């Protein structure tokens, strides 16, 4: 193993991903996002800002036969994503605001995105440059949503995971371009406010807005010990690669 990379198990060992030892490292967020995607074999999937490929490849491990494409602007992460996915994953090194023509000419059944969470106008930048690129917003969130909507085929779905405080902006921007919008809040524990949301919208969708019951991630009302405390439903996603239905 390289001195600068680790090979980490996801989905209970069903998937292994090369990741940098330092910088941004994929956690549970892209795994949970992928678990909510109701894809079927043959669907075309685009992962915007794919990093090392965690979301797309977790989805591909659960649903065989998908056509997976990722876009990542950092060459180091794009290279690792390609190595992680091999021939089953087309990885394009590009900024999402400057997609190459062969991506702009295509439509996708599902677009996934785990954009940078933090506006640097009201938060402090990370010291590590690669980590800052992954966490600190440079491209406005509105552009992520607009680009995702453009790349969707009719009746296709956009899937986002983000901080709950950005939900008003997500709903505003999705509402301009997508319909049938659904929100799944993610709460760390019983009695705690949600910190993340997974939001799904459909191109040409006409369904009513739906706000789902929060998904509780951990057992107990507070952290008491360093152990695996995920509730069974979440543990099935993280350890067994199960789907997570809204």
């Amino acid at each position: 193993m390289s001195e600068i990379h680790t090979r980490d198990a996801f989905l209970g060992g069903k998937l292994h991903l090369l990741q940098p030892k330092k910088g941004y490292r994929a956690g549970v967020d892209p795994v949970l996002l992928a678990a909510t995607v109701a894809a079927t074999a043959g669907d075309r999937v685009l992962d915007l800002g794919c990093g090392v490929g965690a979301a797309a490849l977790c989805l591909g491990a659960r649903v065989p036969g998908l056509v997976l494409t990722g876009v990542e602007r950092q060459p180091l992460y794009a290279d690792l994503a390609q190595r992680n996915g091999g021939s089953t994953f087309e990885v394009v090194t590009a900024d999402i605001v400057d997609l190459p023509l062969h991506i702009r000419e295509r439509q996708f059944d599902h677009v996934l995105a785990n954009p940078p969470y933090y506006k640097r106008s009201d938060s402090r930048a990370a010291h590590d440059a690669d980590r800052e690129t992954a966490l600190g917003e440079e491209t406005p969130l509105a552009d992520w949503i607009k680009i995702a909507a453009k790349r969707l085929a009719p009746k296709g779905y956009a899937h986002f995971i983000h901080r709950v405080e950005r939900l008003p902006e997500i709903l505003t921007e999705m509402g301009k371009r997508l319909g049938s919008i659904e929100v799944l809040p993610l709460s760390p524990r019983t009695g705690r406010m949600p910190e993340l949301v997974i939001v799904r919208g459909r191109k040409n969708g006409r369904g009513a807005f739906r706000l789902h019951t929060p998904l509780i991630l951990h057992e107990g009302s507070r952290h008491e010990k360093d152990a695996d405390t995920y509730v069974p439903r979440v543990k099935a996603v993280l350890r067994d690669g199960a789907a997570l239905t809204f």
Side-chain angles (χ1 to χ4, degrees):
M1 183 59 57
S2 167
E3 293 183 357
I4 60 173
H5 300 143
T6 61
R7 187 171 183 265
D8 303 305
F10 286 74
L11 308 180
K14 294 181 178 65
L15 176 68
H16 288 83
L17 300 178
L18 292 171
Q19 299 198 85
K21 283 186 177 179
K22 297 182 179 180
Y24 176 77
R25 292 169 56 82
V28 302
D29 296 2
V31 184
L32 293 173
L33 176 65
T36 66
V37 179
T40 57
D43 281 356
R44 301 154 295 174
V45 178
L46 175 64
D47 187 353
L48 293 174
C50 69
V52 299
L57 295 175
C58 283
L59 177 57
R62 176 169 61 85
V63 185
L66 298 175
V67 181
L68 299 174
T69 303
V71 175
E72 172 54 49
R73 75 174 188 174
Q74 297 190 81
L76 168 64
Y77 287 82
D79 177 66
L80 291 176
Q82 190 64 79
R83 292 167 65 183
N84 287 330
S87 61
T88 66
F89 191 26
E90 175 193 9
V91 180
V92 178
T93 306
D95 196 307
I96 67 165
V97 299
D98 188 24
L99 294 174
L101 181 61
H102 74 278
I103 298 295
R104 289 186 279 118
E105 290 180 333
R106 290 156 61 185
Q107 293 184 312
F108 298 85
D109 301 293
H110 299 276
V111 177
L112 286 62
N114 180 186
Y117 283 163
Y118 301 103
K119 284 185 175 180
R120 287 317 185 200
S121 58
D122 51 17
S123 61
R124 183 174 297 178
H127 294 298
D128 181 89
D130 291 337
R131 184 173 175 81
E132 172 58 21
T133 299
L135 296 177
E137 180 179 289
E138 294 184 17
T139 300
L141 182 54
D143 287 349
W144 283 81
I145 295 169
K146 178 174 68 176
I147 292 163
K150 282 185 175 181
R151 298 278 55 81
L152 283 174
K155 301 299 183 180
Y157 288 93
H159 313 259
F160 278 72
I161 187 168
H162 216 294
R163 299 283 300 176
V164 71
E165 57 264 29
R166 306 299 297 277
L167 181 57
E169 185 178 353
I170 293 171
L171 294 179
T172 296
E173 297 302 327
M174 275 197 175
K176 296 175 183 178
R177 301 171 176 86
L178 303 169
S180 304
I181 297 172
E182 300 183 62
V183 177
L184 177 63
L186 305 179
S187 297
R189 297 181 186 276
T190 300
R192 294 277 298 275
M193 296 288 288
E195 296 180 358
L196 298 174
V197 286
I198 297 177
V199 188
R200 176 169 66 201
R202 193 176 195 187
K203 195 161 190 175
N204 308 125
R206 296 185 178 182
F209 172 77
R210 300 180 68 185
L211 176 61
H212 293 269
T213 302
L215 174 66
I216 307 300
L217 300 182
H218 294 275
E219 296 176 330
S221 59
R222 62 182 181 179
H223 177 79
E224 295 182 343
K225 58 182 179 179
D226 292 329
D228 186 344
T229 60
Y230 289 110
V231 301
R233 186 182 179 195
V234 173
K235 190 177 294 185
V237 171
L238 301 180
R239 305 291 180 252
D240 303 325
L244 180 62
T245 56
F246 269 47

